[in-house]
Amino acid sequence: NRQLIHHSSISIFLYSYNIFSLIKYMFSIILISRMKIERAEKILQLQLDWVKTADAKVPALFAINISMLGVLSALAKAATSWSLVSGIFVVICASLLIYSIGNMAFTMFPSLLGPNTSNLYFGGIAKQSNEDFHEKIKQLSDDEYLDDLINQAYRNAEIAKSKYGYIKKSSVYLLLSFPIWLLSIYLIYT
């Protein structure tokens, strides 16, 4: 009888241990899934911050470009005599400034092509009815949400890369135009 009780106690202990191990395993899976989602959300937020930072550079660059172009235009219009050299420098400078402004326009208006089925991208959400979106969100699994986050992070990284490429080109054109702008002003006055 004692041996039966001992075996029963061991069986109960092993059974309890297995249930505890199963619960622990399930909890670790949920925790790992949640950690992956949090990491993907942070990565997406970093990409969105890069996009915002690129956008924040545009107003200052635009103001400098427009100011330089305005001064050049006003001085060129007021000039009483022109030489071929001053005309060439004014045209080169104006072209560089216009190229710079053009690149800023591409920065401000990026391609908004995104996945049509995304539940994070405003374009994908807006293509659905309110009821369809509501139901999709209710039924969205953690794995589907994680995939959507990863896709959005990647797409926003592409957008940030494109914006920074245009900002870089705009800045280069602006920097190239500056000495030519100074020389143009000097040539217009002399």
Side-chain angles (χ1 to χ4, degrees), residues 22-122:
L22 180 64
I23 291 170
K24 184 178 165 185
Y25 175 73
M26 291 174 63
F27 182 72
S28 69
I29 289 174
I30 292 168
L31 185 62
I32 289 170
S33 175
R34 189 68 218 151
M35 288 170 59
K36 287 180 181 179
I37 288 172
E38 286 176 8
R39 184 181 323 132
E41 287 172 337
K42 287 178 184 176
I43 292 169
L44 175 58
Q45 188 57 52
L46 286 171
Q47 301 316 306
L48 293 171
D49 289 345
W50 280 110
V51 169
K52 287 179 197 174
T53 302
D55 288 339
K57 294 175 186 281
V58 171
L61 283 172
F62 188 74
I64 293 168
N65 274 282
I66 291 297
S67 298
M68 288 174 65
L69 200 53
V71 167
L72 188 64
S73 175
L75 292 176
K77 187 176 181 180
T80 54
S81 65
W82 282 84
S83 70
L84 180 62
V85 174
S86 64
I88 290 171
F89 276 97
V90 167
V91 168
I92 291 171
C93 182
S95 297
L96 289 170
L97 291 170
I98 289 169
Y99 287 143
S100 180
I101 292 169
N103 277 284
M104 279 186 281
F106 287 121
T107 302
M108 294 185 309
F109 305 107
S111 169
L112 295 179
L113 297 176
N116 291 332
T117 58
S118 174
N119 290 305
L120 298 174
Y121 171 59
F122 68 90

Side-chain angles (χ1 to χ4, degrees), residues 173-184:
Y173 287 132
L174 177 61
L175 289 172
L176 289 174
S177 72
F178 189 70
I180 299 170
W181 181 73
L182 290 174
L183 191 57
S184 296

Side-chain angles (χ1 to χ4, degrees), residues 154-166:
Y154 184 82
R155 180 63 185 127
N156 279 280
E158 290 176 325
I159 291 170
K161 180 182 176 190
S162 172
K163 284 180 171 262
Y164 273 95
Y166 288 123

Side-chain angles (χ1 to χ4, degrees), residues 3 5 15 20 38 70 110 159 163 167 169 178 181 184 189:
Q3 194 174 14
I5 292 175
Y15 181 74
F20 177 73
E38 286 176 8
I159 291 170
K163 284 180 171 262
I167 288 288
K169 288 178 189 175
F178 189 70
W181 181 73
S184 296
Y189 272 120

